[in-house]
Every structure is written in structure tokens, then in C-alpha cells.
Amino acid sequence: MAIEASHHSQSLRPAPSGDPYQGRRDFRTISGIPIKEVYTEKDLPNAHMIGLPGQYPFTRGIHSTMYRQRYWTMRQFAGFGTAKETNERFKYLLEQGQTGLSVAFDMPTLMGYDSDDPHSLGEVGREGVAIDHIGDMERLFQDIPLEKVSTSMTINGPGPIVWAMYLVAAERQGVDWTQIRGTLQADILKEYIAQKEWIFPPKPSMRLIVDMMAYATRYVPQWNSISISGYHIREAGSTAAQELAFTLADGFAYVEAGMKAGLNVDDFAPRLSFFFNAHIDFFEEIAKFRAARRIWARHMKKYGAKNPKSWMMRFHTQTAGCSLTAQQPENNIVRTAYEALSAVLGGTQSLHTNSMDEVLSLPTEKAVKIALRTQQILGYETGVANTVDPLAGSYFVEALTSKMEEEAENYFARINEQGGVLACIENGFLQREIADAAYRYQKELENHEQILVGVNAFVDSQEQEPIPLLRIDASVERNQVESLSQWRNNREESLVHNALQSLQKACQTSDAPLMPQIIEAVRQGATEGEIVAVMKSVFGTWRERPVF
């Protein structure tokens, strides 16, 4: 979901007419990497690492034919109000040609609260769909055959519970779990680093991650149990190099945790996926994607992975919410198109394009359709999918790819010196690096060293005509709370109680698997908030320490 990152720029002083840079032009990427005037073959020290598409180290893509054989999955992040309303939006998107679903949950669901919890007041259904129990999940996917659609779910702290609901919903549709495809974001490390939507402390959270990886490997083999997310790291203000480095460092931490728990790396690594941000600096983003594949492949070999699928980095991309502006919002259509093009030229497997109005509200149907059509025009009209990695061999792109790799490796060394990712979360290193980068970028905007069209340059002095916005009626919350009350009244309380007790005992046993107990609690009608409360009683909650 796009984040209104440009609200702070309402007070930026517009550049005078003429040169918006005010005569100060510094040729560098948005992340600060200097750009030379001309690049030649002398700038290709790692030319031997370019390779061929579908071959190690996968700089040019993980498939030899890429989009000639199959387009990227075209997704739109969707969710608002009740499960019934979001189900209608899903069906609309599928009718418009979307090829995968991405679920946006409301804030109470993301934080593990039921809709009638006092913490949920005023937030139910506002920024995503409210899901309290298995009945809601069944309504969310009513008349959508789960064996025929790939579903991505953006949720972290309560990820195991929401995934359990999806599995039970598939079960009740009569769909075998070996047939369902999709991705659970569940990347809790990036929550501590950037997005701040955590529930439990890091150690029990990592236990849950490993448990999900093991369960998916055994019972849901086409499911990506975790999508390691750089998107939110970038949305928090990081540079492209920081997004690349911190995301892959998180990925290595999950690999190490799985191996420490006794899992064979080649059993779970092929189902790890990634989620990157496509920002506005066109070539820097392409270089970031290409470098990410190369780094992952090389490091996975160091972990002893022998299956080539373990070396292949598969990733979803979303255009940058933080690049959207509240001012002149139609300009966001153009920004999104360029960002989507960078993701495709960078070799993404799946793509979400932001809607022009997401900086102001949840997107309207019209805005969503334009965002989807942006991908379809890109794929079916522009010709960029006709050949694999068309920018390969470009002196500039290859040099920038190597530079991104170098920047990431430098960060890996600094992280390892401090004891790894968890230690760097606890001492605040990663958070400080992102905050410093965000501050530098803001100062650059204020000094016109970076230009944001319609915000600090080319400002329209005339009052803008407002665009239609989607509003969530207050009745949504009342209806959801009433529905939840009816659900509790109609279930068998003794079965719910027994299932929650079994889950609590499993949580208290350090080596007990948790997914089977969570799934059984969901089957018996326990709500998300009730399941989270039981887990909190054992694991506790996490409070971030001040790091500045």
C-alpha cells in the first residue's frame, strides 16, 4: 500500500522558474552514488559475472526465456472494509485481467487484534480488510477457486494465524494443499527494522518463521512461506543500497535459523521469495535487482546449497509508495509507469503498480484499473518483454550493478562485525542508518538538490481540481463487530477452549511445532485476537528500545 511520504513536503519552498536545480547539478543516483559522464569497457571489472539468463549467478534473470514464455504475475494490492466488499474488488480485478491476488489487511488484523478490541476502535476496515476468524477468510475468497489463483498476503506478526485461515479455507473448498500457490510476507525482521508492526519479541518470532518454513516444505510445497521484504525498508527512507543489503542480510538470517533448527537448506530455500521496491531512479533500480540475484546466488552456495533452485532469487516488486505525491496526483500515473518498467527490465517475477490516489486514500476502482492497465500496456504493447534482459552489456548498467553489489557487501561486513542482524536490530544500527538516509534526502529536497515535480519545482499555483476518493463508512466497523459477536455466539466454546489450551502448551514447549495447533484453533472457530492472546501469554510482547 502506498504511504503518503510527501505530506511533509507541503512546506517545501518551490524552485524559481527556470532551472529547478538553481544551478547546482550533481550527477548521482537518488541514493548518492556518483554517475560518470561516459562509461566504457574499462568500467566492467566483473564482466565474467554477467553470464546468460537462467544460468548462475543469474545476473540476467532466473529463467532462460523470461517473459517470452510467461509474463510476470500482474497483481494489485487490494483490501478494504469487510471480507464481502473485498471479495467483490478481487472479482473485479480478476475480470480486468489481473493474474494474482494480493491481500491488504486492516491495522487491527495486522497487529493481532479482533475488531471489537478497544485498540481497534476507528481502524476497522479503514486501510485494508478486517479478518477476525475463518468465516471471514471464507467470505474473502468466496467463489474464487484457490487452486487456480496465486495469493499474496501482506501480514507479519499474526502471519501464521492468517495463513492457517487460508489453508482451512482451501480445505473447506475441497482444495488439496499441494495445489495452492502463494506467498506469505511474514518477514518479521524488517518489522523491527522499518515498518514497526510486530507483536512478539525477535526470538519467538524467529521460531514461528522456522516453523512455517518447515510446515510449508512438508505440506504446502508450492507456497512461499516467507517473502523477505525490502519494500518497507525503502519506504522508511533507506537508500537503494541499504534496501538491497538489509533485505539480503535478513534473508541470510532466515537461512541460518532454518539450518540451525535442523532443516536441510535445499528443502526450504527454493520456496523463499523476496519483495522489493521499484523507486524512481530508473537505472539504479534495475542495477539493484540484477545485483540482488547475483549476491543471493553466490551466498547460497556458501551455505552449502546444491540445488540450483536454492540459488535462484525470485522476487515480487511494488512501485514506490513513497515516491507518490499528494500534489498533482495524476503525475503519479507517470511515476508508476517508469517504476514498473524498471522492475520488468530488472527481471521481476511479480509486480504491483500503485494507484495515483493511494497517497490520499484507498484507491478507487478507476484508479486501480489505470494502475493495472499500466502493466498490461507495458507487457503487451511496448515490446520490452520480447527479449531477455535487454540492458545486459550496457557499460553503465553493468558498472552500476557491480557498484550496488559492492555497497551491499560493505554493509554485510559491518553487520557481521556487530554480531549479525538481530544484534544490529537491538543496538539500533540498521534503524539509524535508515533514519540518516531519510534525513539526507529531505534536506536535498529542501535545497533543490533533488527535484520532486509539482512539490518543489513546477508547482501549479492554481487550485487543483479534487479527484474522487474512496471513503470507508463508519457502518463498516459496526457491521464487523456485530458479525464477530454472532460468530462467537454460534461456535462451540468448549472446542475453542481446548484448542487454545493445546496451543498454549505447545508454545511453552520449546521444540514443539506450532502450525498444527494454530490450524486446529482456527478450525474450531477461535479468533485471531484470541490466538494471539494465548501466544502473548507465553512469548510476551516486544517494546523497541530508543536507539538515538
Side-chain angles (χ1 to χ4, degrees), residues 478-538:
R478 292 195 301 271
N479 293 339
Q480 182 68 16
V481 170
E482 289 173 7
S483 172
L484 178 56
S485 177
Q486 291 173 6
W487 175 265
R488 289 199 180 101
N489 290 335
N490 293 332
R491 67 188 184 178
E492 181 58 61
E493 286 298 328
S494 62
L495 297 178
V496 175
H497 176 74
N498 291 340
L500 292 176
Q501 273 200 322
S502 295
L503 173 60
Q504 186 176 45
K505 290 178 182 176
C507 291
Q508 291 168 341
T509 307
S510 61
D511 58 350
L514 300 179
M515 278 308 301
Q517 308 299 334
I518 295 172
I519 291 170
E520 186 58 26
V522 165
R523 282 196 187 109
Q524 299 306 329
T527 67
E528 180 198 48
E530 291 166 343
I531 296 172
V532 167
V534 166
M535 298 169 77
K536 281 181 178 178
S537 72
V538 179

Side-chain angles (χ1 to χ4, degrees), residues 259-308:
M259 294 175 68
K260 185 177 180 181
L263 301 179
N264 184 306
V265 65
D266 282 323
D267 286 343
F268 69 87
R271 301 313 303 175
L272 299 178
S273 69
F274 287 79
F275 174 21
F276 286 113
N277 193 303
H279 214 286
I280 197 65
D281 193 316
F282 188 72
F283 289 108
E284 182 173 55
E285 295 304 294
I286 294 167
K288 178 186 73 181
F289 300 136
R290 300 172 86 250
R293 281 192 296 269
R294 195 153 80 195
I295 295 168
W296 182 253
R298 188 176 68 254
H299 280 259
M300 289 308 293
K301 275 196 170 184
K302 292 180 180 178
Y303 284 115
K306 295 180 173 57
N307 184 348

Side-chain angles (χ1 to χ4, degrees), residues 59 97 221 434 446 539:
T59 308
I434 294 170
E446 292 172 359
F539 298 147

Side-chain angles (χ1 to χ4, degrees), residues 179-317:
Q179 295 179 278
I180 62 174
R181 296 173 294 114
T183 302
L184 190 71
Q185 189 172 108
D187 176 5
I188 200 64
L189 291 177
K190 71 94 173 51
E191 295 298 329
Y192 303 118
I193 295 170
Q195 187 162 262
K196 314 302 182 184
E197 291 175 1
W198 61 69
I199 299 176
F200 315 114
K203 288 184 179 178
S205 292
M206 289 296 282
R207 175 186 172 186
L208 287 165
I209 294 291
V210 172
D211 197 66
M212 285 191 293
M213 288 194 300
Y215 197 84
T217 299
R218 185 171 181 180
Y219 298 108
V220 201
Q222 295 193 75
W223 191 269
N224 302 320
S225 56
I226 181 170
S227 176
I228 303 150
S229 175
Y231 184 85
H232 304 94
I233 292 172
R234 193 66 180 280
E235 293 289 289
S238 79
T239 66
Q242 288 171 343
E243 177 195 357
L244 174 64
F246 300 168
T247 305
L248 268 66
D250 288 351
F252 301 148
Y254 292 126
V255 169
E256 290 167 8
M259 294 175 68
K260 185 177 180 181
L263 301 179
N264 184 306
V265 65
D266 282 323
D267 286 343
F268 69 87
R271 301 313 303 175
L272 299 178
S273 69
F274 287 79
F275 174 21
F276 286 113
N277 193 303
H279 214 286
I280 197 65
D281 193 316
F282 188 72
F283 289 108
E284 182 173 55
E285 295 304 294
I286 294 167
K288 178 186 73 181
F289 300 136
R290 300 172 86 250
R293 281 192 296 269
R294 195 153 80 195
I295 295 168
W296 182 253
R298 188 176 68 254
H299 280 259
M300 289 308 293
K301 275 196 170 184
K302 292 180 180 178
Y303 284 115
K306 295 180 173 57
N307 184 348
K309 290 184 177 180
S310 298
W311 311 333
M312 297 179 186
M313 170 183 277
R314 297 167 300 111
F315 65 91
H316 168 72
T317 310

